[in-house]
Amino acid sequence: MWNAAPTSAPAQRKGRYAPGSAAHPAKMLPRIAAQAISTYTRPGDLVLDPMCGIETTLVEAIHLVRSALGVEYEPKWADLARLNATSATRQDGTSTGAVHCGDARKLTQLIPAALHGEVDLVVTSPPYENSVHGQVRSTRETGERGVVKKDYRYSHDPSNPAHVSTDPLLDAFTEILVQCRLMLRPGGMVVVTTRPWRERGELIDLPSAVLAAGKQPASLPPNAASPSWRASATAV
């Protein structure tokens, strides 16, 4: 068990993330990313997040003296991720992070070939259904009747995997894991942080589905390295 929330999420991000970061609909807790990085890597190792959002993984990796790579589908969040990574580098002064904008299902096309097979750790989180995302304010906070919800969409791009139903999402995430496999060094680790939710009373067990996706056999391109790797899912 990881004690990932000894303080609130805003307290964990205070002074380390650029203004506007709080508007992302599905932010990973910094403490979770830091715990995974500390547990599975050493200083100087290379950490990747293929669905990086505002780049929590990169920020925490840089502060822990690791190099970091991120890929983000939406240009808006990719720009913000670059700001966060740059700020972390300025604060830390030793490690760097690079953010690429594009579809993580084409990860090996987005990241330079020299880094293929060099990643020590992948830390990421798949998107959830809109009902799980966003910020909620009650009547007591707003003075208005009912619950107000905001910042629950990544964008309005229908091609974003975050906007599809669960089965297509898992298909896309499996493709991303295949790409991650090609990025990992032999013995590299994948950590996926995720959670279940209920939709019209039905339990959506995303952690189990993510583990199943990680165990899917995948054919690699000719002459590609075949690293051994394990997938871990952390429910939060």
Side-chain angles (χ1 to χ4, degrees):
M1 297 295 291
W2 291 352
N3 182 13
T7 57
S8 67
Q12 292 183 33
R13 297 189 187 96
K14 187 176 181 180
R16 293 162 74 99
Y17 292 81
S21 296
H24 191 275
K27 302 172 291 297
M28 187 185 301
L29 272 175
R31 183 65 177 265
I32 290 179
Q35 182 72 48
I37 293 163
S38 298
T39 301
Y40 297 118
T41 65
R42 296 175 294 182
D45 281 355
L46 180 59
V47 180
L48 165 68
D49 187 341
M51 304 177 77
C52 70
I54 61 168
E55 211 37 278
T56 301
T57 298
L58 264 74
V59 170
E60 301 307 317
I62 291 168
H63 282 294
L64 290 168
V65 199
R66 277 74 165 169
S67 298
L69 292 169
V71 171
E72 170 53 37
Y73 185 91
E74 297 291 345
K76 171 185 176 180
W77 304 121
D79 289 343
L80 193 54
R82 292 187 185 103
L83 287 176
N84 286 329
T86 299
S87 176
T89 297
R90 288 172 179 166
Q91 293 176 36
D92 179 71
T94 56
S95 301
T96 59
V99 178
H100 302 270
C101 186
D103 191 331
R105 288 171 288 190
K106 300 177 180 178
L107 197 61
T108 52
Q109 298 177 31
L110 296 169
I111 294 178
L115 297 176
H116 297 184
E118 298 296 324
V119 172
D120 297 282
L121 173 67
V122 173
V123 181
T124 196
S125 179
Y128 310 116
E129 196 269 344
N130 284 340
S131 65
V132 184
H133 287 155
Q135 301 179 40
V136 176
R137 301 184 68 192
S138 66
T139 300
R140 184 174 61 181
E141 295 171 296
T142 64
E144 301 177 2
R145 184 176 180 180
V147 173
V148 176
K149 189 173 184 179
K150 65 175 183 176
D151 298 333
Y152 56 86
R153 291 186 64 87
Y154 292 86
S155 72
H156 295 283
D157 182 353
S159 298
N160 189 326
H163 298 153
V164 300
S165 59
T166 305
D167 288 342
L169 169 61
L170 288 171
D171 290 340
F173 192 65
T174 301
E175 292 182 56
I176 292 169
L177 290 178
V178 170
Q179 293 284 294
C180 288
R181 184 182 181 189
L182 297 173
M183 297 301 304
L184 283 170
R185 65 166 176 78
M189 174 71 74
V190 174
V191 174
V192 180
T193 171
T194 185
R195 56 171 287 187
W197 74 91
R198 289 192 177 274
E199 185 175 317
R200 293 186 291 273
E202 180 182 355
L203 179 66
I204 308 299
D205 186 6
L206 191 58
S208 294
V210 164
L211 283 172
K215 295 175 181 177
Q216 288 291 324
S219 58
L220 297 177
N223 303 320
S226 181
S228 58
W229 64 291
R230 294 173 290 163
S232 298
T234 301
V236 296

